[in-house]
């Protein structure tokens, strides 16, 4: 029986990024990825649209925080050293939240990589997303793979200069928008935008935009796959996380080999060959310039575009999809040995996966609990060292303290600052003669730290030890029963050789 194939054009495409050709001293052979369609390409379009929208739009989202805090939903406020994320505000003292989030991101990467391989590289890495975006422009202006190869080889002409300058101008605009968007995360976006375009912004804003414009333009426009192959440490790190149960893009050679073109098949018969018709479409669409049929390679970012390409070929020639597919090494080996149960699911879910999910979830829950329970008031006290105490003419001893009251709410508040554990002591503010044994009212602005100098005075004869611990306590006087309350331990020092010293 003769199989009738739909003709599939064979593409003259060679893997240009082969390991044996990889050298820091070799000139780069330009990759001209061909456009492809399919499930993974569509998924990539969606991921690209969502990630770019998040990046460009986020600084412009507003969030009402009352009269005393910025109204930007996501803001790293360097001036006041605060990080705002919607309803969450992180103070420098709470940097452990950022640390916790970074650890979660790390564990999340371990989880993703060990199960679905380099999904980060193939779909969400900024280098991948912006390279994809720049490729869209390149295709739009210069055409698909063949047209671009032809244009590259053509001598310089008005037509070529016009196409190249149009492409580069659009790339530059995108690169500038990318650098520009970044600085809006660090200051009120509308104000900074106005200052930026009226040339009134700080020099660091212009230099940041310049650096990010340059790196985006060069990395996404010209270096592309070289960033992944030579500059990024992630391909090396991830090899330690992959095992035989991790999903990777795999050419199923047990099914595809021996490969034979359609012409060969017509000559020698279909049964002589496997399913691969050697059309090279998988090579032509690869943005990394590799041939997945050579096996697993460090350069493969698992973008799965070769899966889409090959599936489209399989559909045309009436064979099952999946000659190139996401597969684990153990499934691949079982297939090769003919021992795989066709009803069996891929083996990428395993104990390790649950351990990562558990660790990730526990850190997340821990951070959430800390977030809900954290104090919105803090008191820090520093005892004066020089002098440690002052002997007053009336025989009392006075100790000085620098007290910082942190009001972490976005409204001004008044706190009652008092002392506990030092019976008979009185306190007063520097520059004031008004003494109190019950406490002092201290006003603190919204989202601010108030520094005050407080003196504590008492009769040394009432102290058994030379150094006595006591507590400074601050309470929000308008907070009612659930008022914010913070305390910190301090020491009171008296001179040695008092009559009752132990
Ligand atoms: S080999 Fe396939 S999955 Fe890997 S980078 Fe190339 S197109 Fe993407
Ligand atoms: S693996 Fe698929 S896309 Fe690649 S050459 Fe073979 S048939 Fe063509």
């Amino acid at each position: 029986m003769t199989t009738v194939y739909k003709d599939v054009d064979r593409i003259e495409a060679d893997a240009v990024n082969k390991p044996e050709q990889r050298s820091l001293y070799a000139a780069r052979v330009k990759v001209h990825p061909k456009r492809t369609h399919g499930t993974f390409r569509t998924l990539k379009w969606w991921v690209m649209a969502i990630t770019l929208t998040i990046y460009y739009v986020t600084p412009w989202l507003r969030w009402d925080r009352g009269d005393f805090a910025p109204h930007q939903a996501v803001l790293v406020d360097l001036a006041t050293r605060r990080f705002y994320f919607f309803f969450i505000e992180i103070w420098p003292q709470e940097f452990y939240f950022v640390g916790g989030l970074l650890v979660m991101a790390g564990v999340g990467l371990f989880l993703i990589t060990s199960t679905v391989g380099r999904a980060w590289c193939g779909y969400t890495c900024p280098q991948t997303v912006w390279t994809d975006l720049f490729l869209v422009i390149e295709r739009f202006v210069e055409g698909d793979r063949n047209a671009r190869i032809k244009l590259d080889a053509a001598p310089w002409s008005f037509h070529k200069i016009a196409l190249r300058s149009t492409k580069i101008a659009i790339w530059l605009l995108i690169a500038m928008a990318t650098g520009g968007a970044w600085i809006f995360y660090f200051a009120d976006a509308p104000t900074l935008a106005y200052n930026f375009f009226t040339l009134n912004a700080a020099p660091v804003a212009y230099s940041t935009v310049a650096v990010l414009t340059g790196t985006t333009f060069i990395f996404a426009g010209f270096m592309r796959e070289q960033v992944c192959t030579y500059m990024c440490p992630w391909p090396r790190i991830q090899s330690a996380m992959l095992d035989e149960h991790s999903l990777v893009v795999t050419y199923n050679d047990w099914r595809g080999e021996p490969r034979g073109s359609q012409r060969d098949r017509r000559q020698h018969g279909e049964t002589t060959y496997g399913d691969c018709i050697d059309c090279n479409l998988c090579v032509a669409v690869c943005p990394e310039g590799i041939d997945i049929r050579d096996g697993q390679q460090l350069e493969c970012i698992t973008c799965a575009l070769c899966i889409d390409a090959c599936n489209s070929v399989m559909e045309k020639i009436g064979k099952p999809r999946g000659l190139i597919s996401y597969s684990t090494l153990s499934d691949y080996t079982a297939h090769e040995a003919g021992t795989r149960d066709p009803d069996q699911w891929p083996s990428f879910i395993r104990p390790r996966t649950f351990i990562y999910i558990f660790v990730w979830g526990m850190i997340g829950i821990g951070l959430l609990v800390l977030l809900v329970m954290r104090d919105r008031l803090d008191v820090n006290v520093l005892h004066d060292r020089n002098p440690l105490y002052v002997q007053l003419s009336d025989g009392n001893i006075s100790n000085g303290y620098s007290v910082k009251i942190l009001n972490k709410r976005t409204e001004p508040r008044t706190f009652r600052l008092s002392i506990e554990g030092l019976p008979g002591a009185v306190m007063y503010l520097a520059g004031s003669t008004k003494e109190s044994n019950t406490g002092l009212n201290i006003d603190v602005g919204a989202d601010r730290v108030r520094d005050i100098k407080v003196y504590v005075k008492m009769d040394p004869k009432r102290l058994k030890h030379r150094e006595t611990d006591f507590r400074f306590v601050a309470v929000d006087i308008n907070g009612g029963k659930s008022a914010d309350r913070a305390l910190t331990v301090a020491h009171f020092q008296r001179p040695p050789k008092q009559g009752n010293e132990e």
Side-chain angles (χ1 to χ4, degrees), residues 225-238:
E225 80 288 347
Q226 290 184 298
V227 175
C228 313
T229 308
Y230 296 110
M231 292 170 64
C232 179
W234 188 236
R236 279 89 185 161
I237 296 169
Q238 63 146 9

Side-chain angles (χ1 to χ4, degrees), residues 378-445:
D378 211 350
V379 179
N380 296 325
V381 172
L382 197 63
H383 192 175
D384 286 358
R385 307 307 298 170
N386 193 15
L388 268 174
Y389 55 85
V390 173
Q391 190 128 30
L392 303 173
S393 53
D394 60 4
N396 284 327
I397 298 293
S398 142
N399 280 208
Y401 303 88
S402 298
V403 179
K404 278 186 184 178
I405 302 178
L406 289 73
N407 175 15
K408 296 181 184 174
R409 292 199 189 277
T410 52
E411 74 241 349
R413 292 195 286 173
T414 303
F415 299 102
R416 185 78 176 161
L417 182 70
S418 57
I419 48 180
E420 288 177 354
L422 214 52
V426 294
M427 59 197 291
Y428 56 96
L429 288 173
S432 163
T433 50
K434 204 169 144 199
E435 296 177 354
S436 170
N437 56 3
T438 55
L440 304 165
N441 283 357
I442 311 290
D443 296 327
V444 186

Side-chain angles (χ1 to χ4, degrees), residues 249 286-288 290 292 299-306:
V249 174
C286 177
E288 296 294 299
I290 61 173
I292 192 66
E299 296 85 350
C300 175
I301 57 170
T302 66
C303 64
L305 295 182
C306 53

Side-chain angles (χ1 to χ4, degrees), residues 50-191:
I50 291 168
T51 47
L52 287 175
T53 305
I54 290 173
Y55 177 71
Y56 289 119
V57 171
T58 299
W60 299 93
L61 297 179
R62 304 290 93 190
W63 192 265
D64 186 4
R65 293 195 183 86
D67 297 335
F68 301 98
H71 290 185
Q72 188 155 314
V74 179
L75 176 66
V76 181
D77 193 343
L78 294 177
T80 59
R81 299 197 297 157
R82 305 278 191 283
F83 172 48
Y84 297 96
F85 187 79
F86 296 91
F87 62 93
I88 301 171
E89 180 190 350
I90 306 282
W91 282 54
Q93 293 84 347
E94 297 167 328
F95 199 74
Y96 52 85
F97 281 111
V98 179
L101 286 176
L102 288 176
V103 173
M104 276 183 82
V107 176
L109 269 180
F110 276 46
L111 169 66
I112 298 288
T113 307
S114 67
T115 48
V116 291
R118 292 176 67 183
W120 161 260
C121 301
Y123 296 87
T124 43
C125 170
Q127 174 64 18
T128 300
V129 171
W130 264 272
T131 299
D132 234 9
L133 179 62
F134 275 44
L135 260 170
V136 171
I137 306 301
E138 191 167 272
R139 274 195 206 107
F140 177 72
V141 176
E142 296 181 350
D144 206 357
R145 176 184 159 87
N146 287 348
R148 299 204 306 276
I149 293 174
K150 230 166 123 185
L151 188 71
D152 270 359
W156 284 101
S157 63
F158 177 76
H159 178 66
K160 183 168 174 172
I161 291 172
L163 290 182
R164 282 282 143 90
S165 24
T166 308
K167 175 180 84 174
I168 283 175
I170 301 174
W171 279 0
L172 268 174
L173 281 177
I174 295 173
M176 279 194 271
T178 306
W182 180 253
I183 59 170
F184 295 141
Y185 283 87
F186 297 89
D188 180 61
T191 314

Side-chain angles (χ1 to χ4, degrees), residues 251 275-282 293 310 313-314 323-324:
Y251 168 63
D275 285 351
C276 174
I277 61 168
D278 206 14
C279 63
N280 283 338
L281 190 59
C282 52
R293 293 172 300 170
C310 190
V313 174
M314 292 297 113
L323 174 55
I324 302 176

